[in-house]
Amino acid sequence: MEKMKVAVIGSTGAVGQVFLWMLSDHPWFEVAYVTASSARIGQRYGDSVHWVIPFEIPESVRNIEIKEFNLDAMRQAGVQIVFSAMPAEIAKGTEPELRANGFYVFTNAGALRYEDHVPILIPEANGESLELIRKQGYPDSGFVVTNANCVTAGLAMALAPLRVHGIKEMNISTYQSVSGAGYPGLSSFDITDNVIPYISKEEEKIEREIKKILSIDPIVHAYCVRVPVMFGHLITVWLTFEEDVETDDILKDWDKFVLEETGLPSTPVKPVIYSKDQTFPQPKYAFWGTPKGMVVYTGRLKKKDGKIGFTLMVNNLVKGAAGGSIQNAELFVKQNGLV
Ligand SMILES: NC(=O)c1ccc[n+]([C@@H]2O[C@H](COP(=O)([O-])OP(=O)(O)OC[C@H]3O[C@@H](n4cnc5c(N)ncnc54)[C@H](OP(=O)(O)O)[C@@H]3O)[C@@H](O)[C@H]2O)c1
């Protein structure tokens, strides 16, 4: 089968690197075009990038030339699907331009997440929202599909099978890794041997996005904290349900959350895995699972004063970013018979 040619824009950042790592052996997609900021144009990817993810840079990626953001050149390279890992303030301009010019954009940037006809898509949680691309004009035009903020991506996975009980209230605290701020991100002076109890706009994003993705309307209280950890966000969660729910019900819901035959190469069969080990999950295991980094891990389930509590860990760069986008593109391609 001939692979579909894709572009990665913002390819040298933390999320862009995970795109290239995951796409290097993808069965359906092949990277044909990469961009970064203007200072890198014309350089070989392997010479230019400061590679920060904990796997070797794939050989097939080293020699790719970094090109300028140019729609005609992308078209000439045979690109139809564009994966975006650009800062939101740049994406605000580039993504509508790509859409208007017929490209299919799968993005990590938050710029268009709250537009009515733009889905925040997580195939396991709200696959039906992909239909919104038709309201953007597909198949006569391009479209933009976003994925959730990295914390919300993990939360939505753990909460999707629990929606049936009626989620009334959600209180969370996050412990977010430094890779969530991109590269170079925070100064080592600020984060070494320290925690920072504020991440700009994060708490608001989580509240807004979890409601849009899961079509629920709980009261949400959130605190988001940056911790000196490289990869993986840990979250503690307290939920109040409309129904009287026991911990055994929650365990059964997660256990039944099995996706045998999605046919999507980047979707785990069991997307949420619970462990009884009281010290689990930990960000140290952020790249566990198959595919690596795509499983959300939960632990420490308990019931107190009518509330259900648990911990969860999501790989912010994989399930919470590049891997989520790739999965979204796979769903689109499969549903539209393009593969
Ligand atoms: N990090 C995460 O965990 C995470 C999770 C979910 C969503 N996101 C979102 O994903 C996007 C990328 O995040 P990141 O963490 O990968 O950020 P990052 O490490 O700062 O990378 C940004 C990328 O955009 C490029 N870029 C910056 N300014 C540009 C410009 N003016 N023109 C063209 N390219 C430009 C950079 O190129 P240079 O290397 O040449 O500067 C780099 O490739 C952001 O919108 C972020 O909010 C991130």
Side-chain angles (χ1 to χ4, degrees), residues 26-335:
H26 196 280
W28 302 350
F29 304 135
E30 173 189 343
V31 177
Y33 202 99
V34 302
T35 76
S37 61
S38 53
R40 298 187 197 273
I41 293 170
Q43 296 181 357
R44 268 181 8 132
Y45 188 84
D47 296 338
S48 186
V49 71
H50 183 95
W51 189 256
V52 294
I53 64 164
F55 302 101
E56 211 173 330
I57 179 166
E59 268 314 311
S60 59
V61 165
R62 281 184 194 277
N63 287 322
I64 297 181
E65 184 187 330
I66 298 173
K67 304 228 171 77
E68 65 172 340
F69 178 77
N70 179 311
L71 303 190
D72 288 335
M74 280 193 216
R75 234 179 251 120
Q76 275 162 22
V79 167
Q80 175 77 75
I81 288 179
V82 177
F83 290 110
S84 172
M86 301 278 267
E89 53 293 2
I90 315 281
K92 205 162 48 184
T94 51
E95 292 178 1
E97 189 187 353
L98 283 161
R99 171 170 61 188
N101 281 278
F103 290 94
Y104 307 153
V105 182
F106 293 88
T107 182
N108 291 277
L112 304 187
R113 271 186 207 143
Y114 311 128
E115 272 191 8
D116 281 348
H117 298 331
V118 174
I120 308 178
L121 180 63
I122 301 180
E124 304 95 324
N126 67 341
E128 69 289 349
S129 71
L130 180 58
E131 273 302 298
L132 284 175
I133 61 175
R134 296 188 185 277
K135 297 210 165 154
Q136 294 180 54
Y138 175 80
D140 300 325
S141 83
F143 60 79
V144 176
V145 167
T146 66
N147 40 327
N149 148 285
C150 39
V151 168
T152 317
L155 259 182
M157 291 301 299
L159 299 192
L162 312 184
R163 266 179 296 190
V164 287
H165 307 298
I167 300 170
K168 265 202 329 200
E169 192 172 329
M170 177 178 98
N171 297 322
I172 66 163
S173 296
T174 71
Y175 306 76
Q176 298 183 220
S177 63
V178 293
S179 61
Y183 184 81
L186 294 100
S187 148
S188 55
F189 256 106
D190 291 330
I191 195 63
T192 306
D193 209 7
N194 196 19
V195 295
I196 302 172
Y198 176 66
I199 302 175
S200 174
K201 300 196 189 111
E202 196 81 347
E203 292 152 12
E204 296 82 352
K205 282 188 204 166
I206 294 166
E207 174 163 1
R208 202 161 172 190
E209 292 176 24
I210 201 76
K211 291 179 177 178
K212 179 167 174 177
I213 295 165
L214 296 182
S215 302
I216 56 175
D217 193 20
I219 297 166
V220 177
H221 298 112
Y223 271 114
C224 293
V225 177
R226 189 74 69 194
V227 296
V229 160
M230 198 69 87
F231 306 104
H233 294 346
L234 188 78
I235 308 162
T236 61
V237 185
W238 282 105
L239 298 174
T240 310
F241 291 98
E242 274 154 28
E243 292 176 359
D244 186 22
V245 179
E246 299 300 328
T247 52
D248 274 352
D249 300 318
I250 305 288
L251 286 178
K252 278 187 205 137
D253 293 331
W254 284 333
D255 215 41
K256 282 188 299 192
F257 194 19
V258 175
L259 308 163
E260 293 284 7
E261 285 171 12
T262 60
L264 307 179
S266 304
T267 299
V269 174
K270 207 156 184 318
V272 178
I273 294 181
Y274 178 78
S275 169
K276 284 186 186 145
D277 180 340
Q278 292 284 29
T279 66
F280 200 79
Q282 298 178 16
K284 179 160 144 175
Y285 309 122
F287 286 94
W288 275 19
T290 309
K292 286 189 176 68
M294 288 299 285
V295 173
V296 169
Y297 292 100
T298 54
R300 304 230 34 222
L301 184 63
K302 55 184 168 180
K303 184 170 183 184
K304 187 162 192 303
D305 303 330
K307 293 179 196 291
I308 294 285
F310 60 90
T311 55
L312 81 84
M313 194 270 299
V314 56
N315 185 316
N316 54 297
L317 293 178
V318 184
K319 180 61 186 173
S325 274
I326 293 172
Q327 212 185 359
N328 289 347
E330 290 170 357
L331 182 68
F332 162 72
V333 161
K334 179 137 194 290
Q335 278 193 0

